[in-house]
Amino acid sequence: MTTTASASGNTGQFPFDFAPQRTQDADLLRQLNFVPGLKEVLTLRQVHALEHATVWVLSQSFGATTARTDNELLGGMSTEQGFYLYGHVNIAQLRQAVREALQRIASGEWDLAVHPRCGTNLSVAMLLTAGLAVGINLALPRGPILQLFGLGAAAAAAAQLAPDVGALAQRYVTTAIPFNLSVVDITVSHDFWGREAHFVRVRWVE
C-alpha cells in the first residue's frame, strides 16, 4: 500500500495530485439525482472507507506499537446501509473505534480508506493475471513449454503489481471519504450467510 499520510497522526497529506472535497459526493448527487442507484453507489463507497478505517483503528487498539499494524483476525463487509464487522471485539470498543475512525478519516487521514486485505486487491490480482495471461498467450509461440513459462510470468507479474494497483482502485473507485455518513447504531446481527457479526448502521447526511 502506497501512502504518505500515516495513521499515527500526520494528516492532510494526499499521495496524489488532489485532495477529496467535503461536498464532492453531495454535489454529484444533486447534479445527477435522476440517475437510478447513484446514491446507493456513493453511500457504499463511503461505507467501504469507514469499514477500512474502523479495522485500522481497532487493530491499533489491540496493543499495536507501530503506526500501522494489521489485525488479520478482523474483517468486514460493506453494504449501502452500513457494514458488518467480523472478529472478536466488544461493542463498546467498536463504538469508540467507529467514532474515532470517522473523525480521523474525515479530518485528513485519507489513507485509512485503503486496506491491503480488501477484496478489491484480490479482484485486481485476478484481472491482472487474466489480462497478462491472454496477452502473453497471444504474443508467445504456441509451444507448451513457452506457454507454461508465460503463464508463470503473468502470475508473478500480477502478484507484484496487484498491491499498488489494488490500492489505486480502492482510492479512486471502491472507496470515498465518508464526509456524508452518520452512524445510527451498532448491533449484533447476522449477515446474508447467517454468520454472526456486529453491524454498524449508517445514514446519509448532506
Side-chain angles (χ1 to χ4, degrees):
M1 178 171 60
T2 303
T3 59
T4 58
S6 77
S8 59
N10 296 327
T11 62
Q13 300 296 316
F14 198 66
F16 302 106
D17 57 354
F18 68 90
Q21 301 300 310
R22 286 189 169 272
T23 62
Q24 61 188 19
D25 281 358
D27 291 344
L28 183 64
L29 187 59
R30 280 192 291 271
Q31 294 167 8
L32 301 175
N33 60 3
F34 56 88
V35 177
L38 177 61
K39 184 175 182 179
E40 287 74 15
V41 170
L42 296 176
T43 303
L44 180 59
R45 294 177 71 231
Q46 293 197 20
V47 171
H48 195 188
L50 180 58
E51 174 209 318
H52 287 174
T54 301
V55 171
W56 279 128
V57 170
L58 284 170
S59 296
Q60 294 167 10
S61 70
F62 288 154
T65 56
T66 59
R68 183 57 67 84
T69 298
D70 181 22
N71 186 329
E72 295 185 1
L73 299 179
L74 295 175
M77 182 181 69
S78 296
T79 75
E80 69 274 10
Q81 296 179 338
F83 67 89
Y84 294 93
L85 195 286
Y86 306 96
H88 183 67
V89 58
N90 67 64
I91 197 166
Q93 185 181 34
L94 179 55
R95 285 196 179 99
Q96 180 178 350
V98 172
R99 286 196 299 268
E100 180 181 342
L102 186 57
Q103 187 276 325
R104 286 171 59 180
I105 194 172
S107 296
E109 291 188 60
W110 301 309
D111 63 329
L112 291 173
V114 177
H115 199 283
R117 289 189 291 106
C118 177
T120 301
N121 287 18
L122 178 60
S123 299
V124 165
M126 294 172 63
L127 288 172
L128 283 173
T129 301
L132 290 172
V134 169
I136 288 175
N137 177 265
L138 295 174
L140 290 177
R142 295 296 179 181
I145 294 178
L146 282 177
Q147 287 292 319
L148 187 60
F149 174 80
L151 289 175
Q160 289 295 317
L161 293 171
D164 289 336
V165 178
L168 287 171
Q170 288 183 60
R171 203 176 289 279
Y172 292 117
V173 180
T174 65
T175 71
I177 306 305
F179 293 129
N180 300 101
L181 294 188
S182 175
V183 178
V184 176
D185 60 23
I186 301 174
T187 58
V188 177
S189 184
H190 292 82
D191 66 12
F192 307 115
W193 296 277
R195 297 175 297 180
E196 185 174 293
H198 289 90
F199 186 68
V200 180
R201 188 176 302 279
V202 301
R203 66 184 178 90
W204 179 274
V205 293
E206 295 296 336

